Amino acid sequence: MEKNLTSLIEKHGLAHVQDDIIASVYKCITVTPKRSASLPPGISKFGGAPDLPEEMEYPVYKNIPLNFIGQVNLTELAALAFEENQLPKEGMLYFFYYDNWEEDDDVVYGEPDQKDGWRVLHWDGDVTMLRPVERAKASYPPCKMNFSIVEKLPYIFLETEEDEEKFEELHDEWHSPGSPEHQIFGLPISIQGEVFDEVCDYVEAEEDEMILLLQVDSDEENLDVMWGDCGMIYYCISRRDLAEKRFDRSWFSFQCH
């Protein structure tokens, strides 16, 4: 990374802020979806129906079943040996959301009075015992999740407008914009306010104590979903709550342009 990024920094005339740019790079896990009409139970996936244990109640909001966003097989994730992975190494993590913004004024953005409008559930049993459960009023096309560790460069503040423009060109060249930014860990790609700053007070934590459990981008090609105006949804948790496996205290944010 550093050699390639250094060459881009020189190319775009930003050698005088090279240290700041390189220091801002972070590692994360990107999630690449691949549509599949048939996926075995217990696999990491977006959409379709969740593979739930019999004893787990399907989550609802105002008596309406939540939409199933996706599930992460934690053994698959652990196999990446990502050094910042503090999640349990076995079981399944499920993500749900009240996706009703096109039909209802009651859009769940992540406010405290909407706490039941999203859910992160953890199950630590044998994933081979799981079976699909159809409950949501709508679903997204089933897509296998493919994981990879990558390095990303966030937008950073530079002192002059000229440097800002050069950095934006560098950023776009390095990232090849256009692909959906589905992501686990690392820094959320905020569209409005900084996501961690927005949610940390709700869970009584500092901004640097927050962890990104899952970021789901607008993705019409794979997931047939558009979050508002090209937005994203985010699931976050504090390090303290993660250590205690308090996934019920995870927080959610919806941002769009």
Side-chain angles (χ1 to χ4, degrees):
M1 177 281 302
E2 187 166 331
K3 183 177 180 181
N4 179 40
L5 182 54
T6 300
S7 64
L8 284 177
I9 290 171
E10 293 175 354
K11 174 183 175 180
H12 291 278
L14 291 170
H16 57 290
V17 289
Q18 175 173 301
D19 291 347
D20 292 336
I21 295 174
I22 291 177
S24 70
V25 173
Y26 64 90
K27 288 185 178 181
C28 66
I29 295 176
T30 60
V31 188
T32 304
K34 182 178 181 181
R35 283 206 190 191
S36 177
S38 178
L39 292 173
I43 199 170
S44 297
K45 66 179 180 179
F46 286 116
D51 303 323
L52 301 178
E54 291 185 3
E55 65 270 23
M56 182 177 286
E57 292 187 16
Y58 196 101
V60 300
Y61 178 61
K62 299 183 176 179
N63 296 317
I64 298 174
L66 296 180
N67 290 75
F68 170 62
I69 300 298
Q71 64 188 35
V72 174
N73 181 315
L74 296 173
T75 301
E76 293 179 18
L77 204 65
L80 289 177
F82 183 61
E83 58 187 15
E84 297 180 26
N85 181 6
Q86 300 176 40
L87 289 167
K89 300 302 185 284
E90 296 179 343
M92 192 77 77
L93 206 59
Y94 302 94
F95 299 87
F96 296 87
Y97 175 56
Y98 180 72
D99 181 8
N100 202 37
W101 72 272
E102 289 185 328
E103 306 171 17
D104 193 346
D105 291 335
D106 186 20
V107 179
V108 174
Y109 289 107
E111 300 297 328
D113 61 352
Q114 301 172 322
K115 183 65 176 69
D116 290 336
W118 69 87
R119 211 81 94 250
V120 178
L121 303 178
H122 175 230
W123 188 71
D124 60 0
D126 182 356
V127 297
T128 63
M129 304 297 293
L130 301 174
R131 294 294 179 268
V133 176
E134 295 277 3
R135 283 292 306 278
K137 58 179 179 150
S139 185
Y140 315 102
C143 295
K144 181 180 183 298
M145 288 183 178
N146 297 293
F147 303 119
S148 57
I149 299 174
V150 301
E151 292 179 317
K152 288 189 177 182
L153 180 66
Y155 282 102
I156 61 174
F157 173 78
L158 296 175
E159 291 188 2
T160 70
E161 184 175 343
E162 180 181 1
D163 282 350
E164 293 275 1
E165 292 174 356
K166 291 178 179 179
F167 179 76
E168 185 171 349
E169 293 173 358
L170 178 155
H171 186 281
D172 289 348
E173 185 173 348
W174 198 43
H175 276 286
S176 300
S179 299
E181 299 272 11
H182 308 306
Q183 180 180 316
I184 297 172
F185 303 131
L187 298 176
I189 300 175
S190 304
I191 297 174
Q192 298 170 328
E194 294 294 332
V195 172
F196 284 165
D197 180 58
E198 179 182 282
V199 305
C200 66
D201 286 346
Y202 296 133
V203 296
E204 300 177 343
E206 298 297 325
E207 186 176 350
D208 61 2
E209 297 172 337
M210 300 303 300
I211 292 173
L212 179 64
L213 290 175
L214 182 65
Q215 169 183 284
V216 185
D217 200 353
S218 292
D219 186 348
E220 293 181 304
E221 178 180 354
N222 299 297
L223 307 183
D224 193 24
V225 68
M226 176 64 68
W227 306 117
D229 183 7
C230 298
M232 296 188 183
I233 61 172
Y234 316 83
Y235 297 84
C236 308
I237 192 170
S238 73
R239 295 183 186 277
R240 178 193 65 245
D241 290 331
L242 177 54
E244 298 174 0
K245 298 182 181 179
R246 290 293 307 274
F247 292 100
D248 58 305
R249 284 180 51 82
S250 302
W251 210 266
F252 172 90
S253 179
F254 176 127
Q255 294 188 359
C256 63
H257 293 279

